[in-house]
Amino acid sequence: MTEELLGGIEPPIRLPGFGCSAFAGCLENGNYVLGHNFDVDRCAYMLVRTSPADGYASLSMVNLEYLGLTLDKFPLTDAAAPNFILAPYLPMDGINEKGLSMGVLSAKGHITCQQTGKIALTTSTAIRVVLDCCATIAEAVETLSHFDMYPSRGSNYHFQLADASGAYAVIEYANGRMHVLDDRYVTNFFLTPGVSEDRCGQDRYDKLKNTMTEKNGVFSDVPDAMRALADVAEDGTRWSAVYNLTERSLHLTPEHDYEETYFFSLNAPVL
């Protein structure tokens, strides 16, 4: 990919492990949402909007450190420009114009490395493929089945997905296979039975379970959904995102500042 986009220039992409929490639910007004906390060491990040000619428009959040743009390099110079070309291919969560949303979370356990002869994808490029090409979870599952999944930097990950129909799923890779689970909340351990006994993030998982059970998956409004993310936020939570799948929008809270939420919409004109 770097050869094609950058003519051989290799930005120092770093993909450290991280935590995260996610859920899929709905609001009392009938809108469907996906919530995602992105947990990692302090870093710079950006919102990316893409509108491919042969795919769906999307909004996604990118950690700039994964492009080698660490905080000590700010303010940036022109030398950093090539790194940004790769930003659309490193989303951590996002939504497309069809109302399909997807977020990635680390998972403790065996490292996924499928080798069936299919085209290989890393976890972040998988999100880009799904946002560009898929309108529903069913389409996402079908699309991902045509690729071999490789981990980013020797770690393992799983995904929370939700779409505008109200469907939701967790996708995991274990024992060389893709597993699609009918689950609406996830943290950092495998939900596929028998894969791993490591229960990293169990405390946050239990909080999400209690919240989702108490509310039956229905939040009064976006701030209520954001409070559920605040309840499982950690010191390393860089952003909390509530994607409204019905309205194709993002409510974003950076750095634990839950009094300050930013709104972005795919329905807004591009300036």
Side-chain angles (χ1 to χ4, degrees):
M1 182 171 65
T2 54
E3 176 69 30
E4 179 180 351
L5 293 175
L6 303 180
I9 298 173
E10 289 286 349
I13 295 176
R14 298 177 62 250
L15 292 171
F18 49 87
C20 309
S21 306
F23 63 80
C26 66
L27 308 181
E28 288 183 354
N29 65 5
N31 288 1
Y32 294 105
V33 295
L34 182 144
H36 183 237
N37 276 350
F38 181 71
D39 302 341
V40 75
D41 292 338
R42 190 166 178 265
C43 63
Y45 42 88
M46 67 183 293
L47 176 68
V48 175
R49 178 169 179 155
T50 57
S51 299
D54 56 351
Y56 300 127
S58 67
L59 297 171
S60 60
M61 289 295 297
V62 173
N63 179 354
L64 293 180
E65 183 167 322
Y66 297 176
L67 295 170
L69 302 177
T70 52
L71 287 171
D72 61 294
K73 295 182 180 178
F74 283 75
L76 299 175
T77 66
D78 291 344
N83 300 57
F84 285 100
I85 299 175
L86 289 176
Y89 298 94
L90 290 168
M92 300 296 105
D93 52 52
I95 185 174
N96 69 15
E97 65 180 271
K98 293 298 182 179
L100 176 62
S101 184
M102 184 174 182
V104 65
L105 310 90
S106 66
K108 297 295 184 180
H110 297 290
I111 296 174
T112 297
C113 187
Q114 292 181 302
Q115 295 179 323
T116 67
K118 301 174 185 176
I119 297 173
L121 278 184
T122 63
T123 48
S124 54
T125 52
I127 296 179
R128 172 49 51 206
V129 168
V130 168
L131 293 179
D132 282 357
C133 303
C134 304
T136 64
I137 288 177
E139 289 183 12
V141 170
E142 169 65 18
T143 296
L144 292 175
S145 71
H146 294 288
F147 296 91
D148 279 345
M149 186 63 65
Y150 278 68
S152 298
R153 294 290 294 223
S155 297
N156 203 8
Y157 304 92
H158 48 192
F159 304 98
Q160 178 78 66
L161 295 89
D163 67 29
S165 75
Y168 52 82
V170 170
I171 294 180
E172 298 182 336
Y173 292 84
N175 301 322
R177 297 176 49 232
M178 179 173 71
H179 301 263
V180 182
L181 308 169
D182 185 28
D183 284 273
R184 64 192 312 167
Y185 45 90
V186 64
T187 55
N188 307 121
F189 58 88
F190 279 97
L191 300 180
T192 302
V195 172
S196 175
E197 296 182 359
D198 192 320
R199 308 292 286 186
C200 180
Q202 181 72 61
D203 55 339
R204 287 176 284 116
Y205 182 87
D206 290 341
K207 286 182 179 180
L208 284 177
K209 180 179 180 179
N210 291 338
T211 297
M212 299 298 282
T213 300
E214 177 184 336
K215 294 179 175 292
N216 197 27
V218 181
F219 299 94
S220 57
D221 50 23
V222 168
D224 191 28
M226 190 66 78
R227 282 191 289 273
L229 291 176
D231 192 41
V232 293
E234 299 199 307
D235 290 343
T237 299
R238 300 277 66 87
W239 69 76
S240 297
V242 175
Y243 290 96
N244 189 315
L245 316 183
T246 306
E247 297 183 352
R248 281 61 164 175
S249 62
L250 163 62
H251 295 258
L252 182 71
T253 294
E255 304 297 333
H256 300 88
D257 187 5
Y258 292 99
E259 299 300 317
E260 187 75 53
T261 298
Y262 299 89
F263 176 76
F264 306 93
S265 175
L266 279 167
N267 297 319
V270 178
L271 301 179

